[in-house]
Amino acid sequence: MGIDISIQIGGEAGQGIQTVGQLLSLVCQKAGLYVFAINDYESRVRGGESFLQLRIADRPIDAPYHRLHLLIALDRKAYDLHKSELDDGGLVMIDTEIGVEGDSVFTLPINALAKQAGGLITANTVAASACIGLLGGPLTLLNEVLEDLFGKKEKSVMDKNLMAASLGFKAVQLAKFQWAFSWQEKEPKGIMLDGAQSIALGALASDCRFAAFYPMSPATAIMSYLVSYGQKGLPVVVEQVEDEIAAVNMAIGASFAGVRSMTATSGGGFCLMTEGLGLAAISETPLVIVNAQRPGPATGMATRTAQADLLFAIYASQDEFPRFIFAPGTINEAYDTMQKAFLLSEKYQVPSIVLVDHFFNTSLYIADKPFQVPDRIERFYVTDQEISNPASYLRFQVTPDGISPRALPCNGDALVLVTGNEHSEDGHNSEAIDVRIAMADKRMKKIAAMTKEMKPPESYYGDAEMLLLGWGSSKGAIREAVDILRKYGMDAGCLHFVDIWPFPAQIVADMLKKKKRIVMVEGNMTAQLGRIIKEQTGIAYTHTLLKYDGRPFYPQKIVDQFMQ
Amino acid sequence: MIDISRYDSTFENKWCPGCGNFGILQAMKHALSSLTIPPEKVLIVSGIGQAGKTPHFIRCNMFHGLHGRALPVATGAKVANHDLTVLVSSGDGDCYGEGGNHFIHAIRRNPNITLLVHNNQVYGLTKGQASPTSSIGMITKLQPHGVHQTPFNPILVALSLGATFVARGFSGKIQQLSQLIQQGIQHRGFSIIDICQPCVSFNSINTYPWYQKRIYELDEATHNRSDLKHAMELATEWEERIPLGIIYQSQRPAFEDTIDALKTLPLVKQETQVDQLRTIMNNEHKRN
Ligand SMILES: Cc1ncc(C[n+]2csc(CCOP(=O)(O)OP(=O)(O)O)c2C)c(N)n1
Ligand code: SF4
Ligand SMILES: [Mg+2]
């Protein structure tokens, strides 16, 4: 077994959990290790108990580990709450001042050392460097990270932190930690970022130029990344608006006028956007909506995770219209999926919905493939030159594939007439029977070609007789569960869905033929994807492993439940 | 002047004969032709209602969106292409009821667009229910005991929120209304024109004679448009006298002027910054 270590930093919000986590993960990343971290916190700014759980491995990981090898307890409560999660031989690192004793407790005068280094503010550095020391890591890497972070600040800040690092490191020289390993000098495996950041970068790589939003966890982080990247000389406008209704309509307005546009929200906000979704559909205006799911109904749990808006995303509408739905499972998939969502939304002039969730948005990943930027962004609109007679341009011309050439307003002589009422080819309102049928048919006709754009679910040991099926952010956990099951000698595999709608029914039916067990692993109560599969292919799942406690999936827990 | 017939739409007009909307439509065409803004440079955004149908009856670009949601669409379009002259045609229900939140925040945001509210003090399209501006006591099928809410005062609300251009017109005074629309378009920022518009089918209170008896034009020579206090007083005039004209005007940066990315070309015309994007992606690599 290679390196696979789980470290939790727990304490009150505002105590520096993030800082310790950041220092540790940066050091590990520099050392060419894979890191993965989840953030667990309450919906409050200060106080409360939070933790960051970091997993370090020498192979790609996209899921948290269910036990702890090292617990860095920044307060007594963290110790009380989490000591039972320690693996055999695991350690708790805690400040001597807190006064906890026990076999697995390793006390360290963290605050005293910090004061010695120049101030309590460096306590996080002391803790991080002690942790690196326990793991057998080199202090030099931590010093490099500190240099990256504080190098541009006053020299005294840097000096204090270097001192703190050296004191923390020395303090654990004699301590023994069962999972210490020998660190090798390797290149970083990739960039380290959270899910929200990959969504934002994917949007930028799609040449998204306008985003409107109303703050709602866990979607807001996507927008704050867009804002900060927008300040780096990109033609991007991000506007916080009065409500989600304004957000979706403003994005539609910008898209109508020719720039790629998006909005991001969570379930409650997505509800408010539903009429706008219909407007995008009937006006055939491209639009990307990211729904970062959290548990509901209503406000539900603002800082917890869920995968329970799938059916709503598929069916949210007035009447019927085509749409794309995607649910990326990894950081690289999210980057690529955003580009696909923008491209296809514009190509087919239909809305694209991207489903992520709190777990994905707030977790820290290593992207092991570089983020490529295409040389040219393919656009799908026509100019006067491509329209035979601009003076009689028909925005909603009926065509064999249902896609009408889309001109932009103020981009030539062609006038662009668009309405959310049913309309004839020229864009004027019409309720004539033949017009209504022609237009409804025209919009729906796109589905055939849209379905062909859907990539099949990714198969991992797809030939196995038992398949675990999942979608979105649980990918890493499910794949790892399959690895464990196979080690136990079971013939298990999995299918992971990113491209969900229009549902690639034929392909999926073929993949599910003659399976002994089809197990739906989903973050909802009713196996929503399972129901879609049944509806679309006639194939019924045999078992479910459902989770709706607001917490992420853990590979071993999937296995344990599966064995029952 | 552009030949006014260039703005004529061939689409069949669906308003009742005698409706005040015809005067507004005429004034819009006149204003655009006077300012020589050709149809292809104009975008008219509307919501739902009789007023919302306006862009079908004038030949320009059109986005006829959802009930109450014209302002966000218009703002988005303007940000994407600030070469567009953007007008919004909205009703009193559309703008002050369903879309009230957007009205409030558009004022705060101050986008460079012109809002025309066809204020007939009733829901025309849905056949005569009370609107946010209906008078107290107005009896309708759905309000058989008469409206009991205080009417929404759009002018006063706009002034209180720091609107930069607040005017009132009357659909029966097409020349003056055209002037107001022209000045609204030329104003850099959000221009609001609340237009008294008789609905001959469902509003038997606020009729042409009712308005004719009360309206008066603000004297351009003596009225000080930058006097907010006085503007607020004018805003409360209604039952006895109704002032027409630019009630208040001031200057502050328009929404688009506050956005660095819009300092040069319209957003839609700018080049994709592939190199800059690559730098960002590469720096992400290095930073971590
Ligand atoms: C979401 C939604 N709610 C309600 C309606 C029904 N509706 C259409 S127009 C309208 C009121 C229109 O009144 P107003 O804005 O004053 O326009 P007018 O017809 O008087 O010009 C209503 C309630 C709708 N189309 N959409
Ligand atoms: S119902 Fe009233 S507002 Fe509507 S068209 Fe007729 S007169 Fe005009
Ligand atoms: Mg009305």
Side-chain angles (χ1 to χ4, degrees):
Chain A
M1 182 86 191
I3 303 161
D4 195 345
I5 301 168
S6 158
I7 301 169
Q8 178 166 309
I9 307 132
E12 266 188 30
Q15 258 194 322
I17 294 168
Q18 291 300 324
T19 318
V20 181
Q22 186 193 27
L23 292 173
L24 289 178
S25 38
L26 286 171
V27 168
C28 295
Q29 187 217 14
K30 259 188 197 288
L33 294 160
Y34 287 94
V35 295
F36 173 84
I38 55 170
N39 271 296
D40 188 292
Y41 49 89
E42 292 172 42
S43 187
R44 57 196 278 183
V45 177
R46 290 201 195 282
E49 274 299 305
S50 323
F51 65 79
L52 180 147
Q53 192 172 316
L54 179 66
R55 188 171 169 197
I56 304 164
D58 53 2
R59 66 199 152 82
I61 35 167
D62 288 316
Y65 190 72
H66 61 294
R67 305 285 288 167
L68 302 178
H69 301 120
L70 179 64
L71 170 62
I72 305 176
L74 300 181
D75 64 4
R76 168 88 208 201
K77 226 162 140 196
Y79 169 77
D80 292 338
L81 279 173
H82 301 294
K83 62 169 186 270
S84 63
E85 293 161 34
L86 276 188
D87 228 353
D88 283 347
L91 276 189
V92 183
M93 186 163 97
I94 193 161
D95 198 311
T96 322
E97 286 171 12
I98 297 174
V100 176
E101 279 172 28
D103 282 350
S104 52
V105 177
F106 175 76
T107 57
L108 189 73
I110 298 175
N111 284 347
L113 291 175
K115 280 183 205 149
Q116 196 185 329
L120 267 182
I121 191 142
T122 63
N124 296 321
T125 308
V126 174
S129 92
C131 178
I132 302 284
L134 284 180
L135 292 170
L139 181 60
T140 45
L141 278 187
L142 178 59
N143 289 344
E144 279 176 32
V145 166
L146 291 170
E147 180 70 41
D148 292 346
L149 292 177
F150 302 116
K152 289 202 186 90
K153 297 212 171 124
E154 270 171 58
K155 190 171 174 300
S156 67
V157 175
M158 185 64 202
D159 291 346
K160 282 178 197 168
N161 276 287
L162 287 176
M163 178 62 132
S166 131
L167 290 172
F169 196 76
K170 269 192 211 126
V172 298
Q173 280 304 293
L174 298 175
K176 282 257 171 303
F177 182 59
Q178 185 174 326
W179 288 274
F181 59 95
S182 80
W183 293 54
Q184 259 124 47
E185 261 186 56
K186 283 197 195 130
E187 281 297 299
K189 288 288 184 293
I191 62 173
M192 191 171 69
L193 69 174
D194 61 30
Q197 200 172 353
S198 70
I199 294 284
L201 289 171
L204 293 175
S206 318
D207 205 9
C208 171
R209 296 190 178 189
F210 183 76
F213 75 102
Y214 187 82
M216 185 168 188
S217 296
T220 315
I222 297 168
M223 292 296 157
S224 51
Y225 282 119
L226 279 181
V227 168
S228 63
Y229 290 127
Q231 287 165 338
K232 298 185 177 180
L234 294 177
V236 182
V237 178
V238 185
E239 177 69 355
Q240 178 178 324
V241 296
E242 52 272 25
D243 56 31
E244 286 85 350
I245 301 174
V248 70
N249 281 280
M250 213 176 273
I252 289 171
S255 174
F256 165 74
V259 304
R260 288 194 169 171
S261 305
M262 71 175 288
T263 180
T265 184
S266 192
F270 184 63
C271 291
L272 294 179
M273 293 183 181
T274 315
E275 197 189 16
L277 185 69
L279 177 64
I282 195 169
S283 66
E284 303 191 49
T285 310
L287 172 70
V288 174
I289 302 179
V290 177
N291 177 353
Q293 302 160 95
R294 68 194 221 186
T299 313
M301 299 200 282
T303 61
R304 304 295 164 191
T305 201
Q307 298 182 304
D309 290 356
L310 176 61
L311 289 179
F312 182 46
I314 293 174
Y315 293 118
S317 66
Q318 318 79 41
D319 209 304
E320 301 162 316
F321 55 83
R323 71 193 71 194
F324 286 108
I325 294 173
F326 305 99
T330 66
I331 213 87
N332 281 104
E333 263 172 16
Y335 181 77
D336 296 342
T337 297
M338 283 305 284
Q339 294 174 68
K340 187 167 180 179
F342 273 102
L343 182 105
L344 294 184
S345 171
E346 190 171 82
K347 182 172 173 189
Y348 292 93
Q349 303 172 20
V350 300
S352 280
I353 301 166
V354 178
L355 294 173
V356 286
D357 53 42
H358 172 83
F359 165 72
F360 179 77
N361 266 21
T362 60
S363 291
L364 201 63
Y365 296 78
I366 295 262
D368 48 8
K369 276 190 289 163
F371 287 174
Q372 306 285 2
V373 177
D375 291 327
R376 208 181 60 85
I377 308 277
E378 193 182 2
R379 294 296 307 266
F380 300 89
Y381 58 79
V382 292
T383 56
D384 275 4
Q385 288 74 46
E386 298 150 89
I387 304 170
S388 50
N389 183 7
S392 57
Y393 167 68
L394 298 173
R395 171 65 188 89
F396 299 102
Q397 191 187 351
V398 173
T399 59
D401 59 4
I403 303 170
S404 318
R406 172 175 169 241
L408 305 180
C410 198
N411 194 32
D413 286 339
L415 292 181
V416 187
L417 276 58
V418 158
T419 163
N421 289 47
E422 192 56 276
H423 45 259
S424 42
E425 287 184 299
D426 60 8
H428 282 303
N429 291 358
S430 172
E431 298 188 351
I433 293 173
D434 55 338
V435 170
R436 160 63 183 181
I437 293 174
M439 279 300 143
D441 285 348
K442 169 185 129 55
R443 291 189 291 268
M444 274 306 195
K445 228 188 280 175
K446 299 175 191 172
I447 286 190
M450 285 169 63
T451 310
K452 293 205 184 98
E453 304 273 8
M454 296 285 93
K455 91 178 171 233
E458 191 179 286
S459 144
Y460 186 58
Y461 297 109
D463 298 337
E465 58 182 22
M466 287 177 282
L467 285 186
L468 274 57
L469 267 54
W471 56 280
S473 69
S474 52
K475 179 176 182 176
I478 297 176
R479 282 178 74 119
E480 221 181 303
V482 166
D483 289 339
I484 303 172
L485 287 168
R486 295 189 71 85
K487 253 184 229 146
Y488 291 176
M490 308 195 62
D491 188 17
C494 66
L495 299 184
H496 177 262
F497 290 74
V498 176
D499 295 8
I500 298 185
W501 200 262
F503 194 77
Q506 196 48 55
I507 302 172
V508 175
D510 290 344
M511 294 171 104
L512 293 181
K513 241 187 269 161
K514 299 204 200 102
K515 291 295 169 192
K516 239 185 166 168
R517 278 210 234 174
I518 298 172
V519 187
M520 300 310 306
V521 184
E522 300 190 52
N524 57 61
M525 292 176 79
T526 59
Q528 296 189 8
L529 178 65
R531 286 155 71 189
I532 289 296
I533 292 174
K534 201 166 159 187
E535 175 198 286
Q536 296 285 319
T537 66
I539 299 173
Y541 53 88
T542 59
H543 297 79
T544 58
L545 282 178
L546 304 171
K547 190 168 166 65
Y548 46 89
D549 59 359
R551 289 0 186 231
F553 281 101
Y554 293 85
Q556 186 65 46
K557 290 189 186 171
I558 296 177
V559 171
D560 294 347
Q561 255 186 295
F562 183 85
M563 302 302 266
Q564 287 170 13
Chain B
M1 273 301 270
I2 288 178
D3 182 356
I4 201 161
S5 66
R6 274 192 67 194
Y7 302 91
D8 287 346
S9 161
T10 50
F11 188 63
E12 185 203 342
N13 194 301
K14 312 264 167 89
W15 289 324
C16 310
C19 173
N21 280 330
F22 287 102
I24 301 176
L25 183 66
Q26 198 49 36
M28 287 168 79
K29 290 181 185 175
H30 186 266
L32 290 170
S33 94
S34 305
L35 292 177
T36 63
I37 310 174
E40 57 278 6
K41 299 268 182 211
V42 182
L43 169 65
I44 305 182
V45 182
S46 70
I48 299 296
Q50 298 288 20
K53 291 181 189 167
T54 308
H56 289 278
F57 309 141
I58 172 169
R59 214 183 128 263
C60 293
N61 294 291
M62 160 180 100
F63 194 106
H64 179 195
L66 296 172
H67 187 38
R69 317 302 169 196
L71 283 172
V73 170
T75 307
K78 184 74 182 183
V79 169
N81 188 351
H82 57 251
D83 280 350
L84 277 167
T85 295
V86 181
L87 302 181
V88 173
S89 281
S90 191
D92 40 326
D94 198 48
C95 192
Y96 306 143
E98 187 91 14
N101 204 22
H102 310 310
F103 176 65
I104 289 174
H105 294 278
I107 294 169
R108 295 182 49 234
R109 195 171 280 124
N110 201 32
N112 194 9
I113 61 186
T114 299
L115 168 68
L116 312 179
V117 185
H118 306 212
N119 185 355
N120 54 8
Q121 299 175 256
V122 74
Y123 285 180
L125 187 68
T126 49
K127 301 201 177 350
Q129 304 85 11
S131 90
T133 52
S134 295
S135 330
I136 291 187
M138 179 182 187
I139 290 177
T140 80
K141 262 197 199 153
L142 277 291
Q143 284 81 23
H145 305 294
V147 171
H148 57 83
Q149 294 103 318
T150 341
F152 182 83
N153 184 331
I155 306 279
L156 198 53
V157 169
L159 292 172
S160 74
L161 290 169
T164 54
F165 184 106
V166 186
R168 174 165 272 146
F170 174 47
S171 65
K173 284 195 169 285
I174 297 173
Q175 270 301 325
Q176 190 215 15
L177 184 55
S178 164
Q179 287 298 325
L180 292 178
I181 297 172
Q182 290 176 48
Q183 291 171 90
I185 291 173
Q186 283 165 331
H187 174 75
R188 194 155 185 91
F190 189 42
S191 43
I192 300 166
I193 310 174
D194 181 76
I195 306 165
C196 301
Q197 174 235 327
C199 165
V200 294
S201 298
F202 295 111
N203 189 337
S204 53
I205 303 173
N206 311 98
T207 59
Y208 281 98
W210 188 92
Y211 283 117
Q212 291 292 5
K213 228 167 82 190
R214 290 166 175 82
I215 54 168
Y216 71 97
E217 287 188 33
L218 291 169
D219 185 346
E220 295 258 337
T222 59
H223 172 59
N224 178 4
R225 284 185 207 166
S226 59
D227 183 345
L228 181 61
K229 243 181 159 171
H230 183 54
M232 289 201 160
E233 280 162 25
L234 291 173
T236 59
E237 289 184 9
W238 182 260
E239 283 306 326
E240 310 294 318
R241 275 156 59 82
I242 301 176
L244 300 182
I246 300 173
I247 293 171
Y248 180 74
Q249 188 170 12
S250 62
Q251 285 301 329
R252 81 184 145 85
F255 177 47
E256 306 92 274
D257 298 336
T258 65
I259 302 172
D260 284 344
L262 303 184
K263 289 269 146 69
T264 54
L265 285 173
L267 203 54
V268 67
K269 303 253 164 79
Q270 296 182 37
E271 291 294 321
T272 306
Q273 301 291 319
V274 174
D275 291 341
Q276 180 61 10
L277 279 170
R278 289 199 172 129
T279 311
I280 287 175
M281 304 299 169
N282 287 334
N283 278 342
E284 283 310 317
H285 255 294
K286 261 192 251 134
R287 197 163 53 135
N288 291 313

